[in-house]
């Protein structure tokens, strides 16, 4: 291993251990009173994706993988971005819009800020390998549709809470105050926003690659 790859290895171990630790913590301590437990929330889907992406980046550094995992890493970055954007936008309007009770402070800031920042730093500054937009967009779209289907066809009919003015069981309280057509429009808007965020990451990665050169993480 090249000497200058050692800080990358250390960084990726930190990212991997934090993501893995919080994933185990969230699953172990979650409230399972409602169907789906912690898997009700997009934040946890993004956390698990971050854990998997971190494991692949670590495997690349340790030369245990010859795959670049480009679409998965880019999709994970975009999921993290959507979690950050959606969470804090709603939180600053009213914390009750995203949760009936706030998480412990270190969970709140790791899941909705620090964890995503660590993953973006690796993707944009260390890896710098996001070159193909369409495969990542296809995976991102599939994951997003899967999550929407999970909330509408599994969580809502099988969960009693939260209760809203229109329906109940959807994971985020504000969704239960929206008619189906309003929710569909909301979902479509966020899918389009996710595509734009993915394109932004693609552009930033290209700029950094041009300014800093190719990744040295395999050296």
């Amino acid at each position: 291993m090249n000497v200058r790859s050692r800080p990358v290895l250390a960084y990726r171990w930190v990212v991997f251990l934090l993501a893995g630790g919080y994933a185990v913590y969230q699953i172990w301590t979650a409230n399972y009173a409602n169907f789906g437990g912690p898997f009700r929330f997009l934040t946890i889907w993004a956390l698990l994706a971050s854990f998997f992406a971190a494991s692949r980046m670590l495997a690349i550094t340790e030369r245990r993988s010859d795959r670049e995992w480009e679409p998965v890493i880019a999709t994970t970055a975009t999921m993290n971005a959507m979690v950050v954007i959606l969470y804090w936008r709603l939180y600053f309007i009213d914390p009750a819009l995203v949760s009936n009770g706030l998480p412990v402070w270190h969970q709140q800031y790791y899941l909705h800020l620090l964890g995503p920042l660590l993953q973006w730093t690796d993707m944009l500054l260390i890896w710098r390998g996001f070159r193909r937009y369409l495969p990542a967009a296809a995976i991102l779209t599939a994951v997003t549709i899967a999550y929407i289907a999970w909330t509408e066809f599994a969580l809502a009919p099988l969960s009693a809470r939260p209760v809203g003015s229109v329906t109940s069981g959807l994971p985020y309280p504000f969704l239960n105050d929206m008619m189906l057509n309003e929710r569909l429009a909301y979902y479509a808007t966020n899918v389009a926003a996710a595509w734009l965020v993915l394109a932004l990451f693609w552009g930033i990665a290209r700029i950094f690659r041009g300014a800093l050169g190719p990744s040295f993480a395999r050296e």
Side-chain angles (χ1 to χ4, degrees):
M1 181 183 298
N2 190 293
V3 171
R4 63 177 181 167
S5 291
R6 291 175 184 170
V8 173
L9 179 61
Y11 180 85
R12 287 179 170 171
W13 265 110
V14 169
V15 175
F16 172 75
L17 292 174
L18 281 172
Y22 271 98
V24 171
Y25 181 80
Q26 290 294 311
I27 293 170
W28 185 263
T29 63
N31 183 348
Y32 288 88
N34 272 335
F35 177 78
F39 306 105
R40 296 170 57 82
F41 304 105
L42 181 62
T43 300
I44 304 305
W45 284 44
L47 173 61
L48 295 176
S50 293
F51 177 52
F52 180 75
S55 74
R56 297 307 84 207
M57 296 299 243
L58 189 58
I60 289 172
T61 307
E62 295 181 336
R63 302 181 184 276
R64 294 184 285 104
S65 176
D66 292 325
R67 295 180 60 180
E68 291 291 343
W69 300 97
E70 182 175 292
V72 172
I73 293 166
T75 296
T76 300
T78 306
M79 290 176 65
N80 279 324
M82 296 305 295
V83 165
V84 170
I85 293 168
L86 294 172
Y87 180 85
W88 290 111
R89 181 170 65 86
L90 292 170
Y91 177 85
F92 286 122
I93 295 173
D94 182 357
L97 291 173
V98 289
S99 176
N100 289 324
L102 292 179
V104 180
W105 68 269
H106 63 86
Q107 295 181 61
Q108 182 182 21
Y109 287 103
Y110 174 81
L111 295 174
H112 304 108
L113 188 59
L114 178 60
L117 280 173
L118 292 172
Q119 200 258 331
W120 300 335
T121 299
D122 196 337
M123 187 187 82
L124 296 173
L125 292 178
I126 300 173
W127 179 54
R128 305 196 291 271
F130 182 19
R131 293 177 172 84
R132 297 177 298 159
Y133 177 85
L134 290 180
I139 293 177
L140 177 65
T141 303
V143 171
T144 304
I145 291 174
Y147 181 73
I148 293 170
W150 166 244
T151 62
E152 291 288 338
F153 300 119
L155 298 184
L158 296 174
S159 303
R161 296 181 180 278
V163 177
S165 59
V166 175
T167 188
S168 63
L170 293 168
Y172 297 100
F174 75 95
L175 290 175
N176 296 287
D177 294 327
M178 300 171 71
M179 300 294 292
L180 178 59
N181 64 320
E182 295 174 319
R183 296 199 304 273
L184 291 176
Y186 177 78
Y187 297 147
T189 299
N190 282 288
V191 170
W195 289 339
L196 291 176
V197 170
L198 184 67
L200 180 63
F201 278 130
W202 179 86
I204 295 173
R206 184 174 183 180
I207 292 170
F208 282 1
R209 195 162 53 247
L212 302 175
S215 171
F216 60 79
R218 282 185 176 276
E219 295 180 8

